[in-house]
Amino acid sequence: MKVLKFGGTSVKSAEMMKQVGEIVKNARAEGQVAVVVSAMSGITDQLINVSTLASQGNDTYQQTLKEIEKKHLQCIQELLPPQHQTRTVATIKMTLNELEDVLQGLFLLKEISPKSRDFVMSFGERMSSAIITEYFKTIGLDALLADGRELIVTDDNFGNAVVDFEETDKRIRKYFSRTDKLIVMGGFIGATVNNETTTLGRGGSDYTGSIIAAALQAKMLEIWTDVDGMMTADPRKVRRTMVLKQLSYIEALELSHFGAKVLYPPSVQPVLAKNIPLKIKNTFNPAAEGTLVARESVDNGSPIKGISSIDTVALISLNGSGMVGVSGFAKRLFSALASGRINVILITQASSEHSITVAINASDAAKAKTLIESEFVQELKSNALEPVVVEQDLSILAIVGENMRNTPNVSGKLFSSLGRNGVNVRAIAQGSSENNISFVTQNADSRKALNIVHEAFFLSDTRVLNIFLVGVGTVGGTLLRQMREQQEYFLHEYNLELRVTGVANSRKMWFDENGIHLPDWKNVLDNNGEAMSLGGFAGKMHEMNLRNSILVDCTASEDVVDLYEESLQRGISIVTPNKVACSGRYELYKRLKQTATQRGAKFLFETNVGAGLPVIKTLNDLTQSGDKILKIEAILSGTLNFLFNEHKAGVSFSSVVKQAKDLGYSEPDPRIDMNGLDVARKILILSREAGAKKEAKDVVSENFLPEECQKATSIEEFFTVLPKYDDHFEKIRSDVEKAGNRQRYVAVYENGNLSTGLRVVGPDSPFYQVEGNDNLVLFWTERYRVRPLIVKGAGAGAEVTAAGIFADIIRIANF
């Protein structure tokens, strides 16, 4: 004997009922079969709605009743041959007349009891089972319709009735022993010994199938639904989930208890007790292997089998010194909750006995608080207990797997993954069996947490980076091109998915959680983007709340820097060439670094100094390994080095400055480079990374621009004035080169002093041979006293700067 149960989506239409017929026909060819069906999809909800409307005296219930009738009659018309329709239509109409009479009574009384609601809810299964039984007959199956109310005996706990298994098993075995026909029955419903209709709770049709299978000692219970099996996580919330081929009963129970909707928790118990395998199959894809639930689990290569969650949970905490060392507090608490039929989902208690916390359904929170306050009224009055604390808008997530008990560091991996992404855990519970670790988070973080944990345990060979880019000008645009060109390479070679989920310029912003199509990012932003505001950008980024998020700031804006701290607080890493944050107030620089460390995020700004050169990384390696920085000497402006290298006989200084701007070597306003401000910022940043507590005012900088150029009111005016001083700069160049020397703008950090200025260097200086737009940094340290550690290379330009930003992004992926 095999029992097949079909859910509401499997019998939602005539087309699907035909598919069910094929499945049952194939199963029947292999042996004895019993079939349990749910109501047609959506009908149970409609029945609840009509009963509510009727009991409120709202005659619009009649319209919904007509919709229910229309759906079933249309199904009959499409499903059955004409000669079989009349009898079935008559059966359904008689059933609906009975329903209409009940609803009329509710309408007149203007009230509804749990008993009446159960009776109304039973009509969905009663009608679907009648229709599909008649259809089975038309395709050659010798089917017989059974009424679950005659077989399943329950108590009178209407809405969630408790089954009397001794009497139920006896009735089922007797009924099935009298016939070899294919038995079809509606799930979800039973009856008391007084023949009062009851329901077994939402998901009760699964339970019915399990009850039948257990009573008959079936060789298999198959639950046919609309998915290929139980998944590693909810595919509506998590991308790239996988079907679990086999679970143990315990694993299936744990996952279903914590929100896995494919399986109704009570449905496991009857087959577990009789050691009957349960298989979850997809009516829409019968060829799929499905998920087998049996006594033994199988190794799937991960210590856990799946992740599930329950949203809309509340935490209730009882705290106070009056609990310490006093027996019976927990018993009184749970007795109070049990008196209100409130289910406790999770329990955690401090070892000091000073507090105990339980998680319950949020809808029960107010009732639970009242019950607890009533039970502990004396302790609360005497301040032996603190006021009952209720926290709302929470979710419970659980990781499940029998192999967890044999695998070290599961909890470490779980909580470190969450911590790195800024997900705060409010409560934790783990049973001594180690089959389950449950934890509570804010409801807003639930989806993010599910994806983080799923990636950590099931996709550990693949990481996703969600990148939000502000500033898509020369550098930002180049970065997007570089990422586009390397996306496939990183995915295939390093299992790293680079997903740009947000882009913005000064006018527009655009977001796509699935990743913006990079070859078309500009058109999408221009044509589909909404108006840009930094508040709006940050709000959307925070609302999306994606794991492994990185804010990339390719602007020079002080306003964008205002987003940094809150982003880091939320676990969003920062990558930026923008020097404002690290060269501004020391207190801000330090706070941002500390926040990143505390929240498990990264704050990387390698391109603040030397574009793509590993200047800051080298400095960090030196100091973190215990070396002491004695002096830093450096050419830190590729722009200025370019100016002094390209300013030659016959080439005006102003034309070289214009060329540097056009090539993207200089800042948009070249005066920022030429007045030494950019170099001053860079040497300040290096001094801070070396451990100095310095402010911008501590840098002594030389400005070699004539005063009139400095005072120009705009960039255009600057380029108008500058050619007047070409002769001035030519004379300086000529005099220096006649002496066999060269001009270099050098920054120095030594003995706590910071300076930048124009220096004349001879052939014996390491700065003499620095060509083009190169930078050169000399680190004099305790370990490098005789000869400095040198970092040299291109220090300006969109390509190398973007490459440096890209390298920081990849560094975060490897963190």
Side-chain angles (χ1 to χ4, degrees):
M1 168 67 74
K2 184 186 287 187
V3 178
L4 280 62
K5 179 268 169 178
F6 293 91
T9 54
S10 299
V11 294
K12 69 179 181 179
S13 63
E15 181 183 358
M16 288 309 304
M17 287 186 183
K18 290 176 182 177
Q19 177 69 13
V20 168
E22 286 299 310
I23 293 168
V24 173
K25 205 170 185 180
N26 292 334
R28 179 71 166 168
E30 297 175 2
Q32 282 289 90
V33 171
V35 174
V36 176
V37 296
S38 296
M40 296 177 72
S41 182
I43 292 298
T44 301
D45 287 334
Q46 285 184 299
L47 289 169
I48 293 171
N49 185 37
V50 293
S51 64
T52 301
L53 291 172
S55 65
Q56 292 171 346
N58 187 338
D59 61 8
T60 60
Y61 79 86
Q62 295 173 350
Q63 180 60 42
T64 304
L65 185 59
K66 287 178 181 177
E67 292 172 6
I68 293 172
E69 178 180 16
K70 180 181 178 182
K71 184 170 184 176
H72 286 85
L73 295 181
Q74 182 177 342
C75 178
I76 293 169
Q77 186 179 10
E78 295 174 358
L79 182 67
L80 302 177
Q83 63 270 29
H84 289 266
Q85 290 181 14
T86 303
R87 183 174 58 193
T88 311
V89 168
T91 300
I92 296 302
K93 280 190 171 290
M94 285 176 60
T95 305
L96 287 167
N97 287 340
E98 183 183 1
L99 174 59
E100 188 173 14
D101 290 343
V102 174
L103 294 172
Q104 178 66 17
L106 297 178
F107 180 78
L108 294 173
L109 290 171
K110 291 185 173 57
E111 65 177 21
I112 185 170
S113 65
K115 177 180 174 180
S116 299
R117 191 181 297 277
D118 267 12
F119 187 65
V120 172
M121 290 168 66
S122 72
F123 282 84
E125 274 72 13
R126 289 163 60 186
M127 290 189 290
S128 65
S129 58
I131 294 170
I132 205 162
T133 301
E134 194 63 29
Y135 173 65
F136 284 167
K137 294 176 183 177
T138 69
I139 59 173
L141 292 170
D142 190 8
L144 175 66
L145 177 63
D147 189 336
R149 294 174 296 177
E150 296 176 2
L151 302 181
I152 297 177
V153 183
T154 74
D155 67 5
D156 60 358
N157 182 24
F158 298 101
N160 196 15
V162 176
V163 176
D164 178 345
F165 279 97
E166 184 177 354
E167 180 62 26
T168 296
D169 287 357
K170 190 187 304 181
R171 291 191 183 190
I172 291 170
R173 285 194 289 266
K174 183 179 179 181
Y175 187 90
F176 276 79
S177 68
R178 294 191 308 226
T179 181
D180 291 330
K181 291 188 176 186
L182 167 65
I183 305 298
V184 181
M185 62 186 291
F188 181 53
I189 55 178
T192 68
V193 291
N194 296 320
N195 295 319
E196 298 166 314
T197 299
T198 58
T199 63
L200 307 179
R202 296 306 292 264
S205 290
D206 287 358
Y207 195 18
T208 301
S210 186
I211 292 166
I212 300 294
L216 298 174
Q217 288 286 349
K219 69 175 182 179
M220 175 77 74
L221 167 63
E222 292 182 354
I223 294 179
W224 290 81
T225 181
D226 55 2
V227 293
D228 285 343
M230 289 193 79
M231 315 292 282
T232 49
D234 187 342
R236 294 168 300 181
K237 298 179 180 178
V238 178
R239 297 182 72 193
R240 299 171 65 189
T241 54
M242 296 164 280
V243 175
L244 295 164
K245 291 184 178 180
Q246 184 167 333
L247 295 170
S248 69
Y249 292 121
I250 301 302
E251 289 169 334
L253 272 171
E254 293 278 10
L255 285 170
S256 58
H257 175 70
F258 283 95
K261 303 298 184 186
V262 177
L263 197 60
Y264 180 54
S267 64
V268 179
Q269 292 288 2
V271 291
L272 184 157
K274 300 292 181 70
N275 198 23
I276 297 168
L278 180 158
K279 197 158 198 180
I280 299 164
K281 296 276 287 178
N282 189 351
T283 313
F284 296 80
N285 183 21
E289 186 177 347
T291 299
L292 178 67
V293 179
R295 180 70 62 185
E296 301 297 326
S297 183
V298 294
D299 187 359
N300 64 339
S302 171
I304 73 172
K305 280 296 180 67
I307 314 157
S308 56
S309 64
I310 303 174
D311 294 332
T312 61
V313 166
L315 280 184
I316 297 188
S317 299
L318 201 58
N319 306 285
S321 57
M323 297 171 62
V324 180
V326 179
S327 62
F329 264 88
K331 178 184 176 182
R332 291 172 62 192
L333 171 64
F334 295 122
S335 295
L337 295 171
S339 70
R341 292 187 172 179
I342 294 173
N343 182 45
V344 175
I345 306 169
L346 174 148
I347 308 163
T348 181
Q349 183 173 17
S351 57
S352 65
E353 300 182 38
H354 184 270
S355 68
I356 185 168
T357 299
V358 296
I360 62 174
N361 287 319
S363 59
D364 292 328
K367 181 179 176 183
K369 184 173 185 288
T370 300
L371 290 169
I372 294 169
E373 288 173 339
S374 177
E375 174 65 32
F376 295 100
V377 61
Q378 294 303 323
E379 288 85 352
L380 290 165
K381 280 184 178 179
S382 65
N383 295 321
L385 291 179
E386 298 170 14
V388 178
V389 177
V390 178
E391 299 175 74
Q392 295 273 20
D393 299 322
L394 301 173
S395 295
I396 293 180
L397 282 74
I399 61 171
V400 172
E402 289 190 338
N403 198 33
M404 286 165 56
R405 69 167 70 98
N406 303 315
T407 307
N409 198 38
V410 173
S411 58
K413 187 174 185 178
L414 169 66
F415 295 116
S416 63
S417 299
L418 294 168
R420 279 201 306 270
N421 283 274
V423 175
N424 186 39
V425 174
R426 295 288 300 109
I428 304 166
Q430 181 176 16
S432 58
S433 65
E434 298 185 53
N435 292 324
N436 171 310
I437 300 177
S438 308
F439 59 96
V440 179
T441 70
Q442 292 292 326
N443 203 24
D445 286 332
S446 173
R447 182 173 179 175
K448 180 181 182 181
L450 281 168
N451 280 276
I452 291 166
V453 177
H454 191 266
E455 184 177 275
F457 285 99
F458 294 106
L459 303 172
S460 55
D461 57 339
T462 303
R463 292 205 69 193
V464 175
L465 292 187
N466 290 293
I467 299 162
F468 296 86
L469 174 61
V470 182
V472 289
T474 305
V475 173
T478 303
L479 173 64
L480 288 170
R481 176 180 57 75
Q482 290 179 356
M483 285 195 289
R484 182 189 75 223
E485 292 170 351
Q486 292 295 97
Q487 267 184 323
E488 288 298 315
Y489 170 77
F490 276 105
L491 186 59
H492 293 299
E493 296 296 323
Y494 295 99
N495 295 314
L496 175 65
E497 182 180 347
L498 299 171
R499 190 184 298 165
V500 179
T501 42
V503 292
N505 56 26
S506 59
R507 296 174 294 102
K508 290 190 174 183
M509 57 185 181
W510 177 251
F511 302 89
D512 187 338
E513 185 173 333
N514 296 316
I516 294 166
H517 185 53
L518 291 187
D520 199 38
W521 71 265
K522 195 172 187 308
N523 287 334
V524 171
L525 180 62
D526 289 342
N527 297 323
N528 301 336
E530 57 187 290
M532 169 62 177
S533 73
L534 286 175
F537 186 91
K540 183 65 175 178
M541 178 173 64
H542 299 159
E543 177 191 329
M544 290 171 75
N545 202 19
L546 301 174
R547 80 268 189 212
N548 303 330
S549 290
I550 304 173
L551 171 60
V552 180
D553 173 16
C554 285
T555 73
S557 167
E558 292 184 18
D559 294 334
V560 179
V561 170
D562 291 339
L563 306 182
Y564 288 9
E565 188 167 5
E566 185 180 357
S567 296
L568 291 170
Q569 287 280 5
R570 292 172 177 266
I572 300 172
S573 294
I574 307 286
V575 171
T576 183
N578 186 345
K579 291 179 277 291
V580 171
C582 294
S583 63
R585 291 177 294 110
Y586 178 82
E587 187 271 333
L588 173 62
Y589 156 83
K590 196 66 177 176
R591 191 169 71 244
L592 291 175
K593 295 198 73 173
Q594 289 173 341
T595 301
T597 301
Q598 291 166 358
R599 305 303 294 185
K602 286 292 184 182
F603 177 36
L604 301 183
F605 44 89
E606 181 65 75
T607 47
N608 275 201
V609 180
L613 295 176
V615 177
I616 292 176
K617 181 180 183 300
T618 301
L619 176 54
N620 291 158
D621 289 345
L622 290 170
T623 57
Q624 290 169 8
S625 65
D627 205 352
K628 182 181 179 181
I629 305 298
L630 303 176
K631 180 168 69 170
I632 300 173
E633 289 183 290
I635 292 176
L636 295 175
S637 173
T639 305
L640 293 178
N641 207 53
F642 176 83
L643 296 183
F644 295 124
N645 279 320
E646 296 302 313
H647 184 210
K648 302 171 182 176
V651 179
S652 68
F653 186 74
S654 61
S655 67
V656 177
V657 174
K658 184 68 167 62
Q659 184 183 5
K661 182 177 183 300
D662 292 342
L663 290 172
Y665 292 163
S666 75
E667 297 288 340
D669 185 346
R671 287 173 295 180
I672 294 174
D673 298 288
M674 298 172 71
N675 64 18
L677 177 59
D678 186 58
V679 176
R681 287 173 173 169
K682 292 176 180 178
I683 195 63
L684 175 62
I685 292 168
L686 291 182
S687 74
R688 287 175 172 178
E689 289 294 288
K693 297 181 179 179
K694 295 292 182 181
E695 300 288 355
K697 62 182 177 57
D698 298 323
V699 185
V700 179
S701 295
E702 175 189 343
N703 189 335
F704 62 85
L705 274 177
E707 188 173 352
E708 187 180 1
C709 295
Q710 295 178 40
K711 291 183 176 180
T713 58
S714 65
I715 298 173
E716 291 74 18
E717 185 181 344
F718 165 72
F719 276 109
T720 301
V721 172
L722 184 60
K724 293 165 52 176
Y725 294 91
D726 280 341
D727 291 343
H728 163 75
F729 287 111
E730 174 58 27
K731 184 176 189 311
I732 295 173
R733 181 203 66 78
S734 177
D735 292 345
V736 168
E737 291 188 2
K738 281 179 183 176
N741 299 319
R742 290 184 174 179
Q743 295 180 88
R744 296 290 182 258
Y745 198 89
V746 178
V748 179
Y749 167 60
E750 185 176 16
N751 296 325
N753 297 315
L754 294 162
S755 64
T756 70
L758 204 54
R759 183 188 295 184
V760 175
V761 300
D764 58 341
S765 168
F767 297 127
Y768 185 85
Q769 295 295 342
V770 181
E771 302 296 336
N773 65 346
D774 281 1
N775 281 191
L776 177 70
V777 183
L778 310 178
F779 291 109
W780 301 87
T781 73
E782 290 281 6
R783 296 174 187 156
Y784 292 91
R785 281 180 173 272
V786 179
R787 288 182 298 277
L789 176 62
I790 299 175
V791 178
K792 180 182 179 182
E799 288 292 338
V800 292
T801 302
I805 298 166
F806 201 170
D808 273 351
I809 292 171
I810 300 305
R811 195 169 294 125
I812 291 174
N814 295 329
F815 166 58

